[in-house]
Amino acid sequence: MSLWTAAEIATATGGTASTDFAVTGVAFDSREVGPRDLFVAMKGEASDGHRFLDQAFAQGAAGAIVSEPTAHPHVLVADSFVALQHLGRASRARSSARIIGVTGSVGKTSAKEALFACLDRATPGDVHRSVKSYNNHTGVPLSLARMPAAARFGVFEMGMNHAGELAELTQLVRPHIAMITAIAPAHTAFFADESAIADAKGEIFAGLEPGGTAIIPYDSPHRDRLIGHATPHAHRIVTFGLEKGADVRAIETMPVSTGGTFVTAVLGTRELSFTIAQPGMHWVSNALGVLACVDAAGGDLGLAGLALAELGGMQGRGVRFMAGEMLVIDESYNANPASMRATLAVLANEPGRHVAVLGEMRELGERSDAYHADLAEPILAARVEAALLVGEAMAPLAAALEGRIDIVHVADTAAALSSLRTILAPGDAVLVKGSNGVGLSRLVASLAGGNL
């Protein structure tokens, strides 16, 4: 079945179709184009998608959205980026799916994937979600445009690093349920303080559909602030967390031999016991928020619990693998002070010698030095014996750890690759985490390929 026809694309975007065609997918990165896809050729500061039209059609594209004439099947528009937004809006307008929007300083991609798994367990093939971390001004409309008209549920991740960005994205998604995973120091270079981050995240509630539900972290020090943002827009507010008073809360947690956690939770007057495959108390919190969303969406809680028990780690976000005789925990996609602490706490429970490969945390502003130095205590609490610190911003942490554990501080990932060979030993448990721009995923790939 087609996702869009040329006529539907032209109507949605106000463009002109060169010929009839039908597509089954949408992409704006020519490298991701597959058979029968729609390629959206956008002009950016560094590149112009129109230069890759031949490549996109060689890879099987059935049509394109363009702002310049081409011999390939296309819909001609004035601005391809604006057209993508219009296509996303048209997708949302034609959908009768129950829509869930997810944001937060940490855990939003993991929560989105967990939500997808929980809902898909009950209605396989009928759940759509944004892929990767497509959560910005281009990723969100793309994810919407990819949603099949017959989908029963849609799960969309929304991110921001400036005030006002979520206000725009939530008006595109128009969720029935909006969840904030947690508020933590992230992108603090662009915000006065953590309260300002909470205000920016609270913008998600302004897009709630009438009768919508707001899902809020009860344990957050910004809980009341978030409730204040939700109250004018939400018909119902549901809190989740570990503390007594949360609407959805864990009343018992117990580690299991596989590394996850067995949880008994209450949802109002109901009680549910389930296992979370992923280790760490941050995952317990994530799971409670996910269950609150599933319940608000009318999903099957029992099947959701089974899905959480089977949920594997994601590349760059907790996937585990053996590199020879070493355990590698890949958290290389992103990092902020809260997520660093959470994953170090996970490392603390692993057998063997603990090695932490930590890349600098970016966009932290004037408090960057303090945030980095403050990681010393969580590192020591995790019984890390050797730390490889990557990036200039790691200098304060290197100073804080000097003489307390073995440390190597290097400028970049290339230098880290060389240094790591002298640090690792069989039986080590190795955590790799840092901001995506540091490029520690290359180091993880070398470990996975046995190239160290």
Side-chain angles (χ1 to χ4, degrees), residues 263-320:
V263 181
T264 300
V266 292
L267 298 87
T269 59
R270 295 158 295 167
E271 188 172 298
L272 177 69
S273 293
F274 60 97
T275 298
I276 305 168
Q278 295 301 303
M281 291 305 293
H282 61 297
W283 258 107
V284 175
S285 179
N286 272 350
L288 295 170
V290 165
L291 291 176
C293 287
V294 170
D295 192 40
D300 188 312
L301 290 173
L303 291 178
L306 292 176
L308 290 170
E310 298 170 356
L311 191 66
M314 299 161 50
Q315 184 176 359
R317 291 186 172 89
V319 70
R320 294 163 166 241

Side-chain angles (χ1 to χ4, degrees), residues 219-292:
D219 303 342
S220 171
H222 307 287
R223 175 189 65 221
D224 293 341
R225 199 177 195 95
L226 296 176
I227 289 174
H229 283 286
T231 298
H233 309 287
H235 174 73
R236 182 173 175 235
I237 296 174
V238 178
T239 59
F240 68 93
L242 305 176
E243 296 180 10
K244 187 175 181 180
D247 299 314
V248 179
R249 69 185 187 278
I251 57 175
E252 183 181 10
T253 62
M254 181 185 306
V256 296
S257 59
T258 54
T261 307
F262 179 78
V263 181
T264 300
V266 292
L267 298 87
T269 59
R270 295 158 295 167
E271 188 172 298
L272 177 69
S273 293
F274 60 97
T275 298
I276 305 168
Q278 295 301 303
M281 291 305 293
H282 61 297
W283 258 107
V284 175
S285 179
N286 272 350
L288 295 170
V290 165
L291 291 176

Side-chain angles (χ1 to χ4, degrees), residues 340-362:
M340 280 284 200
R341 289 172 179 271
T343 50
L344 283 164
V346 170
L347 179 64
N349 296 318
E350 298 300 332
R353 188 179 72 127
H354 295 168
V355 177
V357 182
L358 304 179
E360 64 186 16
M361 303 177 290
R362 296 183 173 177

Side-chain angles (χ1 to χ4, degrees), residues 22-181:
V23 301
T24 57
V26 186
F28 58 59
D29 185 335
S30 60
R31 296 166 295 184
E32 296 183 356
V33 172
R36 295 194 65 195
D37 274 355
L38 173 70
F39 175 53
V40 184
M42 295 192 295
K43 295 182 178 181
E45 294 180 3
S47 64
D48 182 350
H50 295 82
R51 293 168 44 207
F52 303 99
L53 283 164
D54 289 345
Q55 175 185 331
F57 279 90
Q59 291 171 200
I65 291 178
V66 296
S67 58
E68 297 176 359
T70 178
H72 296 292
H74 67 271
V75 172
L76 182 64
V77 299
D79 185 307
S80 298
F81 169 66
V82 173
L84 177 61
Q85 289 186 311
H86 287 323
L87 193 63
R89 287 192 182 94
S91 179
R92 177 66 183 88
R94 74 181 182 179
S95 177
S96 59
R98 196 75 172 158
I99 304 296
I100 304 171
V102 181
T103 193
S105 302
V106 291
K108 53 185 175 291
T109 302
S110 298
K112 178 256 298 181
E113 291 296 321
L115 263 170
F116 171 79
C118 288
L119 294 168
D120 190 65
R121 183 66 183 256
T123 57
D126 290 336
V127 186
H128 173 76
R129 95 291 207 177
S130 44
V131 299
K132 298 183 178 178
S133 290
Y134 282 171
N135 61 21
N136 62 7
H137 64 291
T138 52
V140 169
L142 175 71
S143 298
L144 281 166
R146 288 173 164 177
M147 180 167 58
R152 291 183 58 185
F153 297 97
V155 185
F156 295 92
E157 177 184 343
M158 289 176 268
M160 63 89 201
N161 56 17
H162 290 83
E165 291 176 342
L166 270 177
E168 295 180 9
L169 297 178
T170 193
Q171 295 300 332
L172 282 173
V173 175
R174 292 191 289 114
H176 299 100
I177 301 159
M179 172 189 178
I180 294 178
T181 56

